[in-house]
Amino acid sequence: RGHKVKEAGPSTPVEILGLASLPLPGDIMQVIDDPSKARQVVAYRQAQAKEKALHRKGGRLTLEALQAQMAEGSMKQLAIIIKADVQGSAEALHGTLAKIGTEKVRVKVLHSAVGPINESDVTLAKTNGAVIIGFNVRANAQAREVAKRDGVEIRYYSIIYEVTDDMKQV
């Protein structure tokens, strides 16, 4: 009704002025009398949230980093994308890698296809935290650039046993 309130409990409608965006349900509000001090607090908290989000994404995704995460117990699944020169090689790799999992870590093949590694493969790997395995194929220039920028590891192989040996080490 236009009156100032000190506390608003659940289901109490209030009007809040001066917010740049909508607060989430359950957010705690803090009142600061000095507007310049309030801006400083907001800028500091936004910087902290941005830094936290960057650290959560992590750095470059490599098999070594995945191995460290698995040793800590924070990762239970190793996601892999397979690109091969022929369908028979892709199927053989898919079948072999699917059997490698242990009780601690399970290998999951997200995508298996024939042809060079492209940007969509790198994007899929980034969003799922996967490693790309290229068997007798290479990544095109755009895919290499996106992988470098996004920190996605691409491993190249020409012998199936080398792939399985590397995956068993993880």
Side-chain angles (χ1 to χ4, degrees), residues 24-151:
L24 296 173
D27 278 354
I28 297 173
M29 304 302 235
Q30 182 179 7
V31 178
I32 299 175
D33 292 331
D34 184 19
S36 64
K37 180 73 173 172
R39 283 188 205 93
Q40 287 176 346
V41 170
V42 168
Y44 175 74
R45 289 183 182 172
Q46 285 175 340
Q48 277 187 327
K50 186 175 181 179
E51 186 175 324
K52 187 177 179 182
L54 287 174
H55 287 296
R56 189 175 33 227
K57 286 182 185 175
R60 185 165 168 78
L61 182 63
T62 63
L63 283 178
E64 289 78 19
L66 290 172
Q67 188 175 12
Q69 288 178 4
M70 288 178 217
E72 294 171 2
S74 63
M75 177 170 266
K76 305 289 185 209
Q77 177 173 287
L78 174 59
I80 295 176
I81 296 173
I82 299 170
K83 293 293 280 209
D85 56 344
V86 293
Q87 187 64 34
S89 296
E91 289 174 2
L93 274 171
H94 187 284
T96 303
L97 292 175
K99 294 176 188 174
I100 289 180
T102 65
E103 63 272 353
K104 289 182 180 179
V105 180
R106 187 172 61 100
V107 176
K108 180 179 181 184
V109 179
L110 294 176
H111 179 64
S112 178
V114 175
I117 299 166
N118 55 36
E119 292 173 79
S120 63
D121 298 322
V122 175
T123 304
L124 178 64
K126 181 179 186 272
T127 56
N128 290 292
V131 174
I132 300 174
I133 294 177
F135 188 77
N136 289 332
V137 295
R138 292 287 189 212
N140 61 32
Q142 295 87 3
R144 283 192 303 270
E145 183 179 316
V146 173
K148 185 177 180 182
R149 183 189 71 214
D150 292 343

